């Protein structure tokens, strides 16, 4: 009797690949180390993969990093969306899209 593999890829779901997830977790780790973020959640849906970032687990997400392959030929596959629904950055290159967080980490040192 053959056992099912522990994880089987669902072709009907959008997911982040290892490189994309590594880039997202690098940014996430910097903000965790700075004490700004404390939790995250991932959702893999039919039309999008979403990485949600929380300050506390009981709140709404501060930011969502979305991957929507259907927008590949339009505005870009990746987007960073704020809590209020504003699209902060959108593009075809995840690294460039994640740079929107660079200026948020800079603080005045006194």
């Amino acid at each position: 009797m053959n056992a099912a593999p522990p994880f089987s890829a669902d072709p009907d779901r959008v997911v982040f690949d290892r490189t994309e997830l590594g880039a997202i977790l690098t940014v996430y780790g910097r903000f965790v180390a700075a004490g700004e973020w404390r939790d995250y959640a991932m959702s893999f849906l039919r039309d999008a993969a979403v990485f949600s970032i929380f300050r506390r687990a009981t709140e709404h997400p501060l930011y969502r990093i979305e991957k929507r392959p259907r927008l590949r030929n339009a505005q870009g596959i990746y987007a960073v969306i704020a809590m209020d629904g504003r699209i902060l950055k959108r593009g075809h290159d995840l690294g460039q899209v994640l740079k929107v967080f660079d200026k948020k980490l800079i603080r005045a040192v006194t």
Side-chain angles (χ1 to χ4, degrees):
M1 183 166 131
N2 290 336
F7 174 78
S8 58
D10 185 352
D12 292 333
R13 305 243 181 233
V14 178
V15 297
F16 293 110
D17 66 28
R18 185 181 304 248
T19 308
E20 293 165 337
L21 197 53
I24 292 169
L25 288 173
T26 298
V27 171
Y28 176 78
R30 288 188 355 231
F31 279 86
V32 168
E36 297 289 322
W37 298 343
R38 299 191 191 227
D39 203 6
Y40 71 89
M42 291 188 283
S43 302
F44 303 111
L45 311 169
R46 288 179 185 257
D47 61 339
V50 182
F51 188 96
S52 300
I53 300 165
F54 300 86
R55 182 162 302 165
R56 288 177 208 82
T58 59
E59 294 182 342
H60 293 286
L62 293 172
Y63 301 101
R64 292 186 333 261
I65 301 167
E66 295 187 357
K67 175 183 178 181
R68 295 188 177 268
R70 287 188 180 170
L71 297 177
R72 179 178 288 119
N73 296 327
Q75 302 99 335
I77 192 171
Y78 304 105
V80 173
I81 302 169
M83 178 191 268
D84 59 2
R86 288 178 299 132
I87 297 173
L88 302 179
K89 185 104 174 171
R90 176 173 284 183
H92 299 285
D93 179 18
L94 181 60
Q96 291 297 318
V97 172
L98 292 176
K99 285 187 178 183
V100 74
F101 293 117
D102 287 350
K103 61 186 170 194
K104 296 187 182 309
L105 193 58
I106 298 172
R107 292 191 211 151
V109 177
T110 56

